[in-house]
Amino acid sequence: EVKLSDTRAAALEAFNRAVLAIPDVEQCHMIAGSFDYLLKVRTRDIAAYREVLGERISSLPHVAHTSTHVS
């Protein structure tokens, strides 16, 4: 789950462009509700996921908060 700090059109466009550059993100869905985007991320293990989250996803434009559910 990704919550953005800004949901105006330019911010959404910037986030959408940037998230496409992360190969580990298999799906990206805009959500209406308590968060803004739902990402499906696939990595080789939890350590790789933590790296993708910390280095890539958390630094995407306008990301205010993330929440992870591992399956």
Side-chain angles (χ1 to χ4, degrees):
E1 298 174 9
V2 177
K3 177 79 174 154
L4 301 181
S5 60
D6 183 353
T7 56
R8 293 176 288 183
L12 296 176
E13 187 175 315
F15 177 85
N16 288 332
R17 273 194 316 270
V19 79
L20 291 174
I22 303 174
D24 299 297
V25 176
E26 291 188 346
Q27 297 178 23
C28 176
H29 303 277
M30 182 181 251
I31 303 293
S34 61
F35 57 96
D36 301 304
Y37 284 90
L38 181 63
L39 305 181
K40 180 179 180 181
V41 179
R42 187 179 304 261
T43 59
R44 67 184 176 278
D45 56 29
I46 196 68
Y49 172 74
R50 287 184 181 143
E51 184 177 333
V52 169
L53 177 64
E55 300 296 322
R56 305 289 307 273
I57 295 171
S58 294
S59 65
L60 289 172
H62 308 288
V63 170
H65 177 75
T66 64
S67 182
T68 298
H69 305 271
V70 178
S71 64

